[in-house]
């Protein structure tokens, strides 16, 4: 079995963050491990508080994993402050790294800032150049490139600009466009567009975390980036299709729909 590590924040409601990452790892056939960077108080209605984990504790978590267990792929999600980004980059550079997927989590669906403004530059400077794949959604890409993105052509332009930051591949996710949700994958030379009909549902909590983790799982299993993204896109589409109501707000995607179906558990 392959082993995947997520470095991200905890979601107390279980739909996003570390919890979604571990579910996506399991659903895609790899063993999940975690380094927690922050603890959030959140539910389906929003994020209400964040407490960052100390830099030394983040470093010790990473070291504890790498000094004992083979890591076949890494996913980095919520890294909310400058000190967190610096210690992750410093600690990871001590090791020979496997494929690394960065999901640049900046703002929650409810509008809570999950990445301090002063940390945005550090993310670009220290972590993005280490990435095999960068997976921003449109609002995140807009922050990173500094202009509005509202067409497929501008998504491609943004992918080109983001690629110059040093990552090997860029996947600009199109879920925020008004038309069908088209994602753009760019390898520095060629574009590959993944077209999927928009799904009309409000239960999309954890979508970005889940997709990036599924990609990391597929890379750990030896897939090439394009294949890893295609397979992960199919997985997240099914998970969104079968997302379910939970609490009073935005429900989660269904990470284990295929397993529940096989077990005869009704939605």
């Amino acid at each position: 079995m392959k082993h995947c590590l997520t470095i991200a924040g905890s979601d107390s409601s279980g739909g996003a963050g570390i919890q979604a990452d571990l579910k996506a790892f399991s659903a895609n056939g790899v063993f999940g491990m975690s380094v927690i960077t922050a603890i959030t108080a959140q539910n389906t209605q929003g994020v209400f508080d964040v407490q960052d984990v100390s830099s030394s504790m983040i470093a010790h978590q990473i070291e504890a994993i790498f000094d004992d267990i083979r890591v076949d792929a890494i996913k980095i999600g919520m890294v909310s402050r400058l000190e967190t980004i610096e210690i992750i980059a410093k600690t990871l550079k001590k090791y020979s790294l496997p494929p690394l997927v960065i999901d640049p989590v900046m703002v929650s669906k409810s509008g809570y800032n999950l990445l301090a403004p002063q940390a945005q530059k550090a993310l670009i400077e220290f972590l993005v150049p280490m990435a095999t794949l960068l997976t921003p959604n449109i609002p995140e890409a807009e922050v990173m490139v500094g202009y509005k993105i509202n067409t497929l052509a501008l998504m491609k332009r943004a992918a080109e600009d983001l690629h110059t930051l040093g990552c090997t591949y860029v996947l600009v996710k199109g879920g925020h466009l008004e038309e069908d949700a088209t994602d753009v994958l760019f390898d520095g030379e060629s574009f590959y567009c993944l077209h999927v009909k928009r799904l009309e549902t409000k239960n999309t909590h954890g979508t970005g975390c889940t997709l990036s983790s599924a990609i990391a799982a597929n890379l750990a299993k030896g897939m090439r980036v394009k294949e890893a993204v295609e397979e992960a896109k199919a997985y997240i589409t099914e998970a969104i299709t079968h997302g379910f109501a939970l609490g009073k707000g935005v429900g989660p995607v269904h990470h284990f729909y295929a397993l529940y179906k096989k077990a005869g558990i009704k939605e």
Side-chain angles (χ1 to χ4, degrees):
M1 183 180 291
K2 300 299 183 180
H3 314 145
C4 282
L5 173 64
T6 170
I7 303 175
S10 168
D11 170 8
S12 52
S13 70
I18 288 283
Q19 288 82 351
D21 297 340
L22 294 175
K23 291 173 185 177
F25 288 162
S26 296
N28 286 276
V30 301
F31 181 79
M33 306 171 289
S34 64
V35 169
I36 298 177
T37 60
I39 300 169
T40 71
Q42 67 175 292
N43 56 30
T44 64
Q45 299 180 83
V47 178
F48 302 99
D49 198 9
V50 175
Q51 180 172 313
D52 292 296
V53 173
S54 70
S55 296
S56 61
M57 186 59 183
I58 291 171
H60 291 159
Q61 291 179 82
I62 295 172
E63 291 164 349
I65 296 297
F66 274 90
D67 292 347
D68 180 49
I69 304 170
R70 187 189 74 249
V71 179
D72 298 303
I74 304 170
K75 174 266 176 78
I76 295 179
M78 178 185 172
V79 286
S80 56
R81 59 181 187 149
L82 173 63
E83 296 87 349
T84 297
I85 292 167
E86 289 179 335
I87 195 63
I88 291 171
K90 179 181 178 181
T91 308
L92 287 179
K93 285 179 180 177
K94 294 162 49 177
Y95 304 97
S96 177
L97 295 182
L100 169 60
V101 178
I102 294 181
D103 181 23
V105 177
M106 294 184 179
V107 180
S108 71
K109 280 186 172 65
S110 60
Y112 194 102
N113 287 324
L114 299 175
L115 179 65
Q118 62 269 29
Q120 292 172 7
K121 182 178 179 181
L123 177 71
I124 292 171
E125 180 179 353
F126 297 116
L127 289 181
V128 171
M130 301 172 67
T132 304
L133 176 67
L134 179 69
T135 66
N137 60 29
I138 285 178
E140 292 159 351
E142 288 176 339
V143 170
M144 297 178 79
V145 299
Y147 52 80
K148 189 73 175 175
I149 303 169
N150 51 22
T151 65
L152 183 60
L154 285 170
M155 288 177 66
K156 291 181 177 180
R157 175 187 166 190
E160 289 178 314
D161 290 340
L162 290 169
H163 188 267
T164 66
L165 300 178
C167 49
T168 308
Y169 289 81
V170 179
L171 179 70
V172 179
K173 299 175 292 187
H176 289 78
L177 289 182
E178 293 184 1
E179 58 259 26
D180 286 347
T182 297
D183 299 342
V184 174
L185 179 66
F186 182 60
D187 63 4
E189 295 183 359
S190 303
F191 295 100
Y192 178 68
C193 295
L194 295 91
H195 303 281
V196 175
K197 186 177 180 180
R198 180 173 297 281
L199 300 171
E200 298 301 328
T201 175
K202 75 169 187 176
N203 299 319
T204 57
H205 187 49
T207 302
C209 304
T210 301
L211 176 64
S212 55
S213 296
I215 295 170
N218 290 336
L219 292 175
K221 292 186 289 187
M223 294 184 194
R224 295 181 181 274
V225 172
K226 181 174 175 289
E227 180 187 6
V229 171
E230 289 174 332
E231 291 293 322
K233 182 75 172 178
Y235 166 72
I236 191 60
T237 299
E238 181 177 75
I240 294 172
T241 300
H242 299 281
F244 54 92
L246 182 73
K248 301 173 184 177
V250 178
V253 302
H254 200 328
H255 298 88
F256 295 123
Y257 170 71
L259 180 63
Y260 279 38
K261 182 180 179 181
K262 184 178 180 180
I265 301 172
K266 296 183 179 180
E267 294 181 76

